[in-house]
Amino acid sequence: MVIKLTPTQRTNLPAEYAFYTYPIKGDFTNILNHSIVGSYMFWQSADQSRTYLGVEPLKCLVGKSSAQVKNFQSQFKRRLINLTPSIDGQPVLLGGFPFDFHGRTEHLWGDLEKGYFILPQILFWQHKQNSYVTLLVRTVGDVEAKLNHLATQAANLLQERIEKRVSLPPLLTHELALPQWMQLVNDSVAAIKSQKLKKVVLARQLELFTTGMFNPTQILRRLMNQQPNTYHFLLSNGDCAFIGATPERLLKATKNSFQTASVAGSIARGKTPIADYRLGQQLLNDHKNEYEHQVVAKRIARTMAEFTDNLTIGQRQLLKNRDIQHIYHPFTGQRKRGVKLLDVLKALHPTPALGGEPRSAAMKWLAEKEPAGRGLYGGPIGWLGLVEDQGEFAVGLRSGIFKKNKGLLYAGCGIVAESQAEKERNETSLKFQPMLRGVNDKWTTKEL
């Protein structure tokens, strides 16, 4: 690929940044067959209609609030020029916000912990059946030379590489602070029965060690093969990596609409179609799970009504993944004029499916009582357009943070008045399974 600009485009561009988009052939996800150096992010929607892989960041936004990211988006758009206006591309921010900026810390997260976004110089992206590369440069100096240098880097990444077959070393696992967590379930039930809370979502950790080194792109590749119909993501700062396959959309913003979903209540998949159907019906008719789901759905409906017109709530249904099925309600509304994606995201997060109800009381409870920090687990993870205010964020569930030979998996469960500690432990154990299988196909785990 050789980029040739017009004489006008080569000099005196009336902007600080310029971007150039061109189509490519083939599957750029093959880049994941080899290690990527430095900060990068991969993100794919659950229906696989949109995929992003951003590398070579021009900027990293670390620990920024939604208001600060929104301000960056607004300022950057005014300093940007499109050199290929005939192609519908744009630079994007890729990354995530933390579950709680004020929550406890967990050292393994490093500078990912309080939020991390990258602005890629090289952005591979796919929308429906078409794939592209968008290059981003500063306009100081020889813009054409800068673009061609990035295009060469992109071409080198796209070269076919044979995936090396690497044997998977055994895993050592350890449930962290389990007795304290079980007691916290009981304490939370007591708080709910005394009407201090309606619901609270408790998360716990499973610690992983391996005799080798965790390979983030290999884990992501396995998750993509094993967990269809989920959002797949990998966010790396070059030192540690946050990886997951989540079933839950937090917010999708198109030009004219906002879409979200209520996902709450969980049960295992059946080994046969009949067993699976019976388990699904058991979930739909279970009073505890239905109440938990309604708490989530009612809050989401109230929140979305503030930002949309003609809000429609889809039929209650089952969302089925490989290991787990959930009660699911989709919400869609027309965007009110002037409403920004990040305004709605801030209002939605965390929904009662991740925090609790009432929100402020539940978040205070978690900040005081939960033994470990969540980092990006349970937070918004996705992409944000920097020309058009469009994007999509999933909830960072079924996920873990990895660094060298150590990992932490997270799983959570909604606590209501009917909750029982042992059943909640079993539910979270079920939710660890997708990531455990992604880390180790044969799942040869040993307890420390």
Side-chain angles (χ1 to χ4, degrees):
M1 175 68 190
V2 178
I3 296 172
K4 293 186 177 181
L5 301 181
T6 66
T8 304
Q9 290 176 328
R10 289 195 187 100
T11 57
N12 300 320
L13 287 171
E16 187 177 345
Y17 301 93
F19 69 97
Y20 187 102
T21 301
Y22 58 92
I24 57 173
K25 295 181 179 180
D27 181 7
F28 64 78
T29 64
N30 287 329
I31 295 171
L32 300 173
N33 288 343
H34 57 95
S35 297
I36 303 173
V37 177
S39 296
Y40 65 95
M41 182 168 171
F42 177 91
W43 187 94
Q44 184 177 67
S45 62
D47 62 3
Q48 298 187 17
S49 65
R50 190 174 287 272
T51 305
Y52 287 104
L53 173 59
V55 300
E56 297 292 332
L58 188 66
K59 291 179 180 288
C60 295
L61 306 184
V62 182
K64 303 299 184 183
S65 67
S66 61
Q68 290 172 313
V69 174
K70 179 182 171 184
N71 182 63
F72 176 87
Q73 178 194 33
S74 174
Q75 296 291 328
F76 191 82
K77 180 179 179 179
R78 291 198 286 265
R79 298 149 64 191
L80 187 65
I81 188 168
N82 183 0
L83 300 177
T84 49
S86 62
I87 300 178
D88 188 22
Q90 64 174 326
V92 303
L93 284 177
L94 296 172
F97 292 104
F99 172 75
D100 181 5
F101 278 101
H102 308 292
R104 294 178 185 269
T105 60
E106 168 55 64
H107 71 89
L108 197 64
W109 286 94
D111 62 6
L112 295 184
E113 184 168 47
K114 297 301 181 183
Y116 196 91
F117 284 87
I118 67 167
L119 175 60
Q121 293 183 88
I122 303 173
L123 178 68
F124 301 93
W125 58 282
Q126 163 262 326
H127 181 48
K128 297 181 180 177
Q129 304 303 316
N130 301 309
S131 296
Y132 303 87
V133 175
T134 294
L135 307 176
L136 176 66
V137 297
R138 288 188 171 92
T139 56
V140 176
D142 190 335
V143 172
E144 185 176 89
K146 289 181 178 181
L147 290 170
N148 277 296
H149 176 70
L150 291 177
T152 299
Q153 288 182 269
N156 289 338
L157 287 169
L158 287 168
Q159 287 180 358
E160 288 289 337
R161 288 173 171 83
I162 299 174
E163 183 176 6
K164 294 180 179 179
R165 296 286 181 179
V166 179
S167 60
L168 299 170
L171 288 174
L172 302 176
T173 72
H174 177 52
E175 295 177 280
L176 294 179
L178 183 60
Q180 298 94 314
W181 188 85
M182 299 280 279
Q183 182 58 50
L184 182 54
V185 173
N186 294 330
D187 293 344
S188 300
V189 169
I192 291 166
K193 287 181 177 179
S194 66
Q195 299 186 336
K196 295 178 182 178
L197 300 165
K198 289 183 180 179
K199 174 188 175 182
V200 68
V201 180
L202 302 180
R204 68 186 185 95
Q205 298 172 315
L206 183 67
E207 189 173 40
L208 305 183
F209 290 96
T210 181
T211 54
M213 300 284 276
F214 289 116
N215 185 320
T217 55
Q218 282 188 339
I219 295 172
L220 175 66
R221 268 300 200 186
R222 287 197 288 271
L223 289 172
M224 292 170 69
N225 291 331
Q226 297 166 0
Q227 300 292 332
N229 306 315
T230 61
Y231 293 86
H232 302 112
F233 61 86
L234 189 169
L235 174 60
S236 173
N237 64 358
D239 183 47
C240 55
F242 178 48
I243 312 169
T246 175
E248 187 167 345
R249 168 186 287 163
L250 182 57
L251 182 66
K252 180 179 181 179
T254 67
K255 182 178 180 180
N256 299 311
S257 71
F258 287 122
Q259 301 169 40
T260 185
S262 170
V263 180
S266 306
I267 201 166
R269 297 296 305 274
K271 294 182 179 180
T272 66
I274 293 176
D276 194 58
Y277 173 80
R278 287 174 177 169
L279 284 168
Q281 293 304 302
Q282 179 183 331
L283 176 62
L284 289 172
N285 293 299
D286 179 78
H287 180 266
K288 181 259 184 186
N289 280 292
E290 175 58 19
Y291 172 76
E292 182 184 340
H293 182 79
Q294 286 302 317
V295 169
V296 178
K298 287 178 180 178
R299 164 107 83 75
I300 290 177
R302 289 197 306 269
T303 302
M304 291 294 287
E306 298 178 31
F307 300 103
T308 62
D309 295 315
N310 302 319
L311 181 66
T312 60
I313 304 174
Q315 184 178 1
R316 188 184 71 146
Q317 55 195 277
L318 291 171
L319 177 64
K320 294 177 179 282
N321 301 124
R322 174 171 174 168
D323 301 285
I324 311 170
Q325 47 191 320
H326 306 277
I327 305 173
Y328 169 80
H329 258 135
F331 295 76
T332 303
Q334 296 176 356
R335 292 178 71 149
K336 289 184 177 179
R337 183 173 296 180
V339 174
K340 299 297 185 182
L341 183 159
L342 289 177
D343 293 332
V344 186
L345 195 77
K346 182 180 178 182
L348 282 172
H349 175 72
T351 73
L354 275 299
E357 189 75 3
R359 178 194 280 183
S360 59
M363 294 297 282
K364 184 174 184 292
W365 180 266
L366 292 173
E368 292 176 353
K369 305 289 186 180
E370 227 171 35
R374 296 190 185 188
L376 301 184
Y377 167 76
I381 184 92
W383 67 275
L384 174 68
L386 293 176
V387 177
E388 300 293 335
D389 184 47
Q390 299 177 24
E392 186 169 10
F393 285 80
V395 182
L397 303 176
R398 311 291 187 275
S399 57
I401 180 74
F402 297 85
K403 181 177 180 179
K404 297 181 180 178
N405 69 335
K406 183 178 179 181
L408 279 178
L409 306 186
Y410 286 78
C413 55
I415 306 302
V416 294
E418 298 175 46
S419 295
Q420 300 174 29
E422 189 58 39
K423 287 186 177 180
E424 302 304 332
R425 180 194 180 184
N426 292 338
E427 179 179 324
T428 49
S429 295
L430 177 65
K431 291 175 177 177
F432 283 134
Q433 288 183 16
M435 281 302 298
L436 275 172
R437 189 181 291 109
V439 172
N440 191 320
D441 290 307
K442 298 180 180 178
W443 205 352
T444 55
T445 60
K446 299 178 181 179
E447 184 67 25
L448 282 172

